[in-house]
Amino acid sequence: MGYDLKEAMDFLVTLNDEARKPHITEIAGKTYCDKNLVRYGKEEMASPLTATSLNSLIDYINEKQDEFRESMIIHVESPTKVRLLSGLTKERNREELFTVTTNPNGFQFDCPYDQECFIINMQTAFEQTKETAIILTVAGNVENKTVANYGDDGTSQKATISKGIAGKEDVIVPNPVILRPYRTFLEVEQPESKFIFRIKEGRDGTPMFKLIEADGGLWKYEAVASIKAFLKERIDSNLDIAIIG
């Protein structure tokens, strides 16, 4: 009986060993394995450095070229993100060495603001121009319960604003307006674009203000082009670095 039990135990151990082994099968020209295998000898990749300014990326490129691979790529992924990548490795991967991101504008377009919040945002989230000043004049002096439709095209409006110490006057709300919000890296020129400026009355008659983007997103292409030009001017042309976007 003991001998039979030993044989049974040996048989179970053999089965267990077989179960732990990976079994590789080829089906229709493709290789499959029934175990999750951890690969050894895989080429190691660096973790990217991160920053919030384009100048940081330029400093890294100019001072740490010894960390580069044979060829490098700067990918201007969007108006708010730029990555420094290597060319393809032997295994057809790319190593990411540096990433720059920015989020310069907290203004919510197509979202109504009360008078105080709108005025604060217009002064902090936009470059100050003549049209910004006009909007601030209207927004800062519009009277409660005086917003009216002017025409039926969905954009023109009129409102009553305070004029002097005791005077008032009706004004046409300017539309469209051309503004330069902070939407990309601060080292480059902020692209200007058209916005629809709307005023409506809140539940208690207080004015609410809204800006709606009206350029179809064309500003993004202008911002990417400005970033590429900025980098090309400041990176050594002798370096094998392609700038794409």
Side-chain angles (χ1 to χ4, degrees), residues 147-150 155-159 171-173 197-200:
V147 181
N149 292 327
Y150 192 83
T155 59
S156 297
Q157 294 177 291
K158 69 177 179 180
V171 296
I172 303 300
V173 176
F197 177 40
R198 299 290 292 170
I199 309 174
K200 69 175 183 178

Side-chain angles (χ1 to χ4, degrees), residues 81-231:
K81 186 174 183 179
V82 179
R83 300 194 298 159
L84 176 64
L85 306 166
S86 73
L88 289 174
T89 67
K90 293 180 179 179
E91 298 185 351
R92 313 297 291 178
N93 294 319
R94 297 187 189 277
E95 184 175 23
E96 183 174 354
L97 296 182
F98 207 100
T99 301
V100 189
T101 56
T102 185
N103 185 24
N105 193 342
F107 192 89
Q108 298 296 312
F109 296 104
D110 202 17
C111 177
Y113 285 85
D114 63 34
Q115 191 171 39
E116 182 178 9
C117 287
F118 184 79
I119 291 172
I120 291 172
N121 275 276
M122 286 301 300
Q123 295 181 76
T124 58
F126 293 79
E127 287 188 3
Q128 300 305 293
T129 63
K130 291 182 179 179
E131 296 217 26
T132 309
I134 293 172
I135 291 177
L136 285 169
T137 298
V138 174
N141 295 284
V142 67
E143 298 272 323
N144 286 6
K145 300 181 181 180
T146 63
V147 181
N149 292 327
Y150 192 83
D152 58 2
D153 59 5
T155 59
S156 297
Q157 294 177 291
K158 69 177 179 180
T160 302
I161 66 172
S162 302
K163 183 72 173 179
I165 297 177
K168 300 178 181 180
E169 69 175 4
D170 286 345
V171 296
I172 303 300
V173 176
N175 264 309
V177 291
I178 298 176
L179 303 171
R180 290 183 180 271
Y182 296 118
R183 294 182 287 187
T184 186
F185 294 95
L186 298 181
E187 292 100 325
V188 302
E189 185 178 24
Q190 301 301 306
E192 67 177 20
S193 52
K194 291 182 179 181
F195 297 87
I196 302 300
F197 177 40
R198 299 290 292 170
I199 309 174
K200 69 175 183 178
E201 293 179 357
R203 291 181 180 178
D204 56 357
T206 58
M208 302 291 291
F209 306 90
K210 180 166 61 174
L211 284 172
I212 303 165
E213 293 180 283
D215 75 339
L218 291 176
W219 71 271
K220 297 178 182 179
Y221 298 97
E222 183 179 342
V224 168
S226 295
I227 294 170
K228 289 172 62 179
F230 179 86
L231 294 172

